[in-house]
Amino acid sequence: MASKNEAKSLPARKIALLLAMLPLAMNLLAGCGDSALQTAEDGAGHEAAPLLKGWQARERPPSSPPVGSRRELVIVATSDLHGWITSSTLYPRGRPGGLAHLGPLIAGLRAEAPGLILLDGGDTVRGAPNLAYLARHQPAAVPPVLRLMNLLGYDAMALGNHDLEVGRAALNRWVSQSAFPWLSANTLRAGGKAFLPPYRIIERDGLRVAVLGLTTPGTAIWVDARHLAGLRIGDMLEAARRWVPKLREVERADVVIGLFHGGLDGWYDRAVALRHGLPLPNASGLIADQGEGFDLIVSGHSHRFAPRRERNGDSAFAVPVVQPGARGEGLAVARLRLRASGGRWRVEGVTRSTLRAQLAPDPMLMREARGELAATRAWLAQATEVRFSKLPDRPVFRRCAGALSHMAALRLGPAALQPGDLADPASAARAVSLLPMMWRYVPPRQEELGAPVRRAHLHRWMRHGNPLVLARLQPRQAALLLGPFARHQRGHRARFSAVLYPGGLRAQMAPGGTEVLRLIREDGSPLSSNGNLPVWLTNYHWNGGGGLARQALLHPSQFTGRTRVPLRELVFRLLSDPGLELPPACRSYLAMH
């Protein structure tokens, strides 16, 4: 029984909670009434209110479960689908993956637990070749992965960093096409207004479940700043501490699930974020370690699939965590055992497991995506004028990758620049390049010898379609950007995403060391020292990906132009030129028809 002092304090606590909710309600009302989001991308206004999907914070009465009653709640999660419907249809892979291959597993779990909650951890739409095809030929179409998620009955998904890199107009359209809310409690508009619903309350037979979404602040490193205009992605831990008490004490949630697009390893990308003055990009582990009132955390973004075997209770963190992997490789499943005690539901234990995607996809889901998959197959089958003459080893393949990237940028980049970007067209013809050398090494199969390089090969080798940026750099900045390349050349470890190929340049390194002392052009001519060196970079590295932009002190004033098409498409066009003379680095395993 509560003491008199405690009893007297109860109304005061309730008033304090209501007062705490007042700014939230005011911000929400202001956000719903804000009719337009202005972006620097295209200057067009986009309605903000539909993004909130009718979300509304409210004070709810507590649930009153019968004393001693028990319940099991099943949470099923995917993450980082990247638009994948099926891997085996688009080009053969050793292991099945894609949402269509998860359909039978989800159906089986629903038959066992009709009240299960189905969630996704973000980075959901962008990445697969079928979306790349649709973006070019049917930009307003509903992405097939969203259609399948609607059919499967998803309850919510978190906003991922790749979901923001398409521009505000496409994102708004995707949200409106989804039968479930997109969540992000730490992505805010000007004045702290909600950009997306921070959470969703789900009722299941008298059980009230809150799902809180969070997005990695590292998004500001990887996504074009134009697409983040007017947005701020705040600290994940701070957002969790702000919202979980409201979910528990005001919304009266019996169970709180964290749906996070942020990895568990707090050290990964930490140095990059510190250089940019950003919060910890991968804070899921930090939140799980401190508890913060969660009963379960679904952690995406890192593409990890865990636990590999069933775990019953034991966890490295204070809160049990599941990681659903990537590209539909499987499902993460959590079974929460609840018991009514003291007038509320209490979680007694959690069993966590993962299920691998099935070899045979769901026929109904495949029929639903049949049109897009057929068109994508034909698109990926388009051949270039180059054929495989030999199976390459890894070093040869990577040297060729760097040379092809440079040649594609130099020859085709200027014509692909966005209109009005380039003040001095002649500078593009004198440009050098610092572009990814380390494409994903997937050599052709033995039976492909003598066959042409197809668009599908480029999608294997270059997972992400990054546009190019042309910038004017100082030679010293270019040398700093080549630091990881120098370490790689000396046999030291270097982050995969940070190794750039010096196209049109030769790097002179310190004897026995990894410092780039001097850069000269390939023909031996010196570089100008006045900071007027035109350099092609990927949009990813210009925006800070790999941590190179801040290290080399790149500045927005050095920007000259950005291409309308990604590097992958430029390389495809280059290889489709019948008059192409292959660079020497490629002639040992590629040949012209």
Side-chain angles (χ1 to χ4, degrees), residues 57-72:
R58 66 184 67 175
E59 184 179 12
R60 304 173 193 263
S63 56
S64 301
V67 176
S69 56
R70 296 181 180 274
R71 181 77 55 83
E72 181 181 78

Side-chain angles (χ1 to χ4, degrees), residues 187-445:
T187 303
L188 304 173
R189 295 188 288 130
K193 299 174 184 177
F195 176 64
L196 290 168
Y199 62 86
R200 183 185 180 187
I201 299 295
I202 302 170
E203 302 276 358
R204 287 289 191 269
D205 298 326
L207 186 67
R208 187 172 299 141
V209 181
V211 180
L212 180 73
L214 293 175
T215 302
T216 171
T219 301
I221 303 171
W222 310 305
V223 173
D224 190 334
R226 298 172 304 159
H227 302 328
L228 296 177
L231 297 181
R232 181 180 65 85
I233 302 179
D235 185 273
M236 293 176 64
L237 180 59
E238 287 182 5
R241 287 175 171 171
R242 181 171 69 249
W243 282 103
V244 171
K246 295 179 175 64
L247 296 176
R248 291 289 189 185
E249 303 298 334
V250 180
E251 294 278 7
R252 304 286 186 147
D254 301 306
V255 176
V256 177
I257 308 295
L259 184 59
F260 300 165
H261 191 79
L264 295 179
D265 184 357
W267 289 102
Y268 190 74
D269 272 336
R270 184 187 185 98
V272 177
L274 286 173
R275 282 198 291 269
H276 285 76
L278 295 172
L280 191 66
N282 294 291
S284 297
L286 177 63
I287 297 172
D289 198 40
Q290 300 191 33
E292 304 300 339
F294 291 98
D295 296 298
L296 175 74
I297 288 175
V298 177
S299 173
H301 182 61
S302 63
H303 291 201
R304 292 182 179 175
F305 191 56
R308 296 283 178 158
R309 58 186 179 86
E310 186 175 287
R311 300 285 185 180
N312 188 5
D314 59 325
S315 174
F317 301 99
V319 177
V321 177
V322 292
Q323 299 181 88
R327 299 182 184 89
E329 64 180 309
L331 297 173
V333 182
R335 301 175 184 274
L336 282 68
R337 299 180 296 280
L338 297 103
R339 180 175 62 89
S341 175
R344 51 164 290 200
W345 288 106
R346 300 180 186 274
V347 177
E348 285 191 317
V350 179
T351 300
R352 298 168 294 133
S353 61
T354 49
L355 301 175
R356 284 283 183 188
Q358 290 196 357
L359 181 62
D362 184 290
M364 183 270 290
L365 297 179
M366 290 295 289
R367 284 195 300 271
E368 176 63 28
R370 178 173 49 198
E372 290 91 347
L373 292 175
T376 305
R377 280 196 299 271
W379 185 63
L380 290 172
Q382 291 178 1
T384 69
E385 295 293 328
V386 175
R387 61 180 173 84
F388 295 107
S389 60
K390 183 183 175 182
L391 299 180
D393 59 20
R394 193 183 302 263
V396 168
F397 172 83
R398 286 180 169 166
R399 285 196 297 271
C400 176
L404 288 176
S405 293
H406 171 65
M407 185 179 287
L410 204 62
R411 293 192 181 186
L412 304 175
L417 287 167
Q418 296 185 13
D421 267 357
L422 190 59
D424 178 16
S427 67
R430 303 192 307 270
V432 297
S433 67
L434 299 174
L435 298 173
M437 174 184 71
M438 299 177 76
W439 295 359
R440 187 167 178 265
Y441 178 62
V442 185
R445 298 184 297 275

Side-chain angles (χ1 to χ4, degrees), residues 36 57 87 124 134 239 321 412 450 497 516 528 541 543 545 555:
S87 56
T124 302
L134 288 174
V321 177
L412 304 175
S497 63
V516 177
S528 170
H541 292 103
N543 290 336
H555 191 271

